[in-house]
Amino acid sequence: MESIITLYKIGHGPSSSHTMGPANAAKYFKNVYHNADQFKVTLYGSLALTGRGHLTDKTILETLAPIKTDIVWNVKDVNIKHPNTMDFEAWLSGKQLGKIRFYSIGGGAIQIEGEATSNTANSLYKEKNGQEVLQACQKNKWKLIDYIKHYEGENFWHHLNHVWEVMQAAIKTGLAAEGELPGKLKLKRKAKVFFETPQKILSRKAIDKKIVLMMAYAFAVSETNASGGVVVTAPTCGSCGILPAILMFAKDTLNIKDVQIIEALAIAGLIGNIVRTNGSIAGAEAGCQAEVGVACSMAAAAYGYLIDLTNQKIFVAASAALEHHLGLTCDPVLGYVQAPCIERNALATIRALDAAQLVSLSPFKEIFNFDDIIETMLVTGRALNAGYRETSVGGLASIYNKKKATKAFNKKFGIKVS
């Protein structure tokens, strides 16, 4: 496994695989072919189908500027190795200088066709899965945080401190913002409304103020992401609201210090790292279970650590959180990371809390371990119809498109619907 540093990337939303990844590919390609006078970028699969809503073209054009760049949206060629495939071509005076095929493999990471994956090339951890991690901890009488400290250097902890600062800033930005989210959906921001809901109203409706605050935090980060603000991939942009929300909730309610938050971030990162190594964190590859599901799993592990669960129970909490997201589809309406993505972040935060608390209250005997859940998630994701893997042509996205088409038809022909 790689360093956890590579999991927590900091950058602009709204999508790690569709915004950060293409931007990183563009930076790499521009550096290689810096003398080109024209670029051509062809997007395939999920990138072609949802790239406009994810601002893929915008971020590529900005990164490659001022060199003239043509974007081609290829939605016809489906025989591709990875659903997030893109070809970059460099030209000079009408002659092609070179071409590179990139895959945006999730969480902002990219892979060049023909080269080894980053997990293989930059391995830091000796252990490859959850069971091996637990065995190493048992052998050396380590807690999970000791296991991480054994491998990660001083720079890692500096990075996590910065990660926590960015997460808190994203919460603050989201809680202060008003109006509509950018894009055609015209969705109103909810974070500030939830945050400022008077206690008397919540009491009358028998709603827990602390839970509302936690949801407000999740909405705040997710709305910051949807607006193209700076967020942390945890493990992706589309699921970036869950972990910050539960950590801020823990800080509010458990009276803990930032140093403990940083350690919880490390624990969450370990869980995400194991999933990334053995499964997927890309919605285009395995559906939203690989994004919101994994983020929920990471958050459950982090909260479990903060309430002093054992190593084994932290993994059980992570398993429970991911297990109950199995099969979750990725169907962003019009390609925006807004609906149903933002609400999923808020509700998954509650599920992460529930998973950790459930495990803390019960003597669990596992039927399936964490590695089993990851394997099931990957198999399930690959079995999903392509329309349910971040293409915006299935699920809720297709229902929205159908309703819009019906409304347009009725309006055109003057049909009134009672």
Side-chain angles (χ1 to χ4, degrees):
M1 294 189 295
E2 292 182 86
S3 168
I4 296 170
I5 287 177
T6 62
L7 182 77
Y8 289 129
K9 295 180 176 65
I10 298 169
H12 289 272
S15 172
S16 46
S17 59
H18 289 58
T19 310
M20 287 188 187
N24 290 333
K27 289 175 187 175
Y28 180 95
F29 193 76
K30 187 178 182 180
N31 185 57
V32 173
Y33 295 102
H34 54 84
N35 59 330
D37 61 13
Q38 185 172 354
F39 292 130
K40 178 182 176 181
V41 181
T42 304
L43 305 173
Y44 302 87
S46 178
L47 289 174
L49 288 164
T50 67
R52 289 183 176 86
H54 285 91
L55 306 182
T56 304
D57 52 338
K58 182 175 182 289
T59 191
I60 289 174
L61 292 172
E62 288 178 350
T63 305
L64 295 179
I67 300 173
K68 184 180 183 299
T69 301
D70 295 321
I71 305 289
V72 177
W73 307 87
N74 188 327
V75 298
K76 294 182 179 180
D77 291 343
V78 295
N79 188 25
I80 48 179
K81 181 179 178 181
H82 193 281
N84 289 331
T85 296
M86 46 194 160
D87 288 335
F88 281 69
E89 300 174 34
W91 296 77
L92 179 63
S93 301
K95 182 180 179 180
Q96 189 182 77
L97 297 177
K99 177 180 178 180
I100 298 178
R101 170 163 285 193
F102 296 92
Y103 306 116
S104 184
I105 58 177
I110 56 172
Q111 181 186 341
I112 297 174
E113 185 180 51
E115 294 189 3
T117 63
S118 54
N119 281 341
T120 302
N122 302 314
S123 181
L124 175 65
Y125 289 84
K126 177 183 176 183
E127 292 72 28
K128 301 179 183 67
N129 57 45
Q131 288 301 102
E132 290 183 7
V133 169
L134 286 171
Q135 288 167 6
C137 289
Q138 185 176 19
K139 177 182 177 181
N140 294 285
K141 295 181 171 56
W142 286 335
K143 290 187 175 182
L144 287 176
I145 196 66
D146 300 318
Y147 170 80
I148 296 169
K149 288 178 178 178
H150 175 74
Y151 283 106
E152 299 283 359
E154 189 64 29
N155 186 52
F156 170 70
W157 302 103
H158 290 308
H159 180 69
L160 287 197
N161 272 285
H162 184 42
V163 162
W164 179 228
E165 289 172 355
V166 174
M167 285 180 169
Q168 291 178 94
I171 290 174
K172 184 176 180 180
T173 298
L175 292 179
E178 297 179 286
E180 294 180 344
L181 293 170
K184 297 179 180 179
L185 294 178
K186 305 294 182 182
L187 293 178
K188 291 185 177 180
R189 301 173 188 269
K190 298 183 178 70
K192 186 175 183 180
V193 175
F194 288 159
F195 187 69
E196 295 179 348
T197 302
Q199 181 61 47
K200 61 180 180 180
I201 293 178
L202 297 175
S203 298
R204 189 165 64 245
K205 296 184 178 181
I207 299 175
D208 188 338
K209 175 68 173 177
K210 293 176 182 177
I211 298 298
V212 174
L213 285 176
M214 184 168 67
M215 288 195 295
Y217 297 150
F219 267 93
V221 179
S222 296
E223 288 173 355
T224 298
N225 173 65
S227 304
V230 178
V231 295
V232 179
T233 58
T236 66
C237 287
S239 59
C240 67
I242 300 165
L243 184 56
I246 204 164
L247 291 176
M248 186 62 78
F249 172 82
K251 187 174 182 180
D252 289 344
T253 60
L254 300 180
N255 193 29
I256 56 176
K257 298 179 180 179
D258 279 347
V259 65
Q260 294 170 285
I261 294 288
I262 300 306
E263 290 182 347
L265 268 172
I267 299 297
L270 175 63
I271 294 298
N273 217 10
I274 292 171
V275 179
R276 178 177 62 166
T277 302
N278 300 284
S280 175
I281 57 171
E285 186 175 21
C288 200
Q289 56 174 356
E291 297 200 29
V292 165
V294 175
C296 182
S297 186
M298 292 168 61
Y303 194 80
Y305 174 77
L306 293 173
I307 59 174
D308 295 323
L309 294 187
T310 63
N311 292 347
Q312 184 67 37
K313 284 196 170 186
I314 287 173
F315 270 90
V316 175
S319 296
L322 181 54
E323 177 184 353
H324 298 293
H325 279 92
L326 291 177
L328 184 62
T329 60
C330 183
D331 47 359
V333 175
L334 296 183
Y336 294 111
V337 189
Q338 297 179 14
C341 320
I342 295 176
E343 284 187 4
R344 282 183 182 170
N345 274 254
L347 295 174
T349 306
I350 298 173
R351 183 171 288 183
L353 178 68
D354 290 343
Q357 291 181 335
L358 179 68
V359 172
S360 72
L361 295 171
S362 306
F364 270 82
K365 181 179 180 181
E366 288 184 293
I367 298 177
F368 305 106
N369 61 43
F370 188 56
D371 300 324
D372 295 331
I373 307 300
I374 296 173
E375 181 182 352
T376 304
M377 183 200 75
L378 190 59
V379 171
T380 303
R382 288 173 175 170
L384 287 174
N385 181 284
Y388 298 100
R389 287 186 271 119
E390 206 167 357
T391 58
S392 290
V393 296
L396 294 171
S398 65
I399 296 298
Y400 179 87
N401 294 337
K402 182 179 178 181
K403 285 186 174 182
K404 293 293 286 186
T406 301
K407 286 181 180 178
F409 180 87
N410 291 344
K411 183 177 180 181
K412 180 177 180 181
F413 293 99
I415 300 172
K416 295 183 179 180
V417 180
S418 57

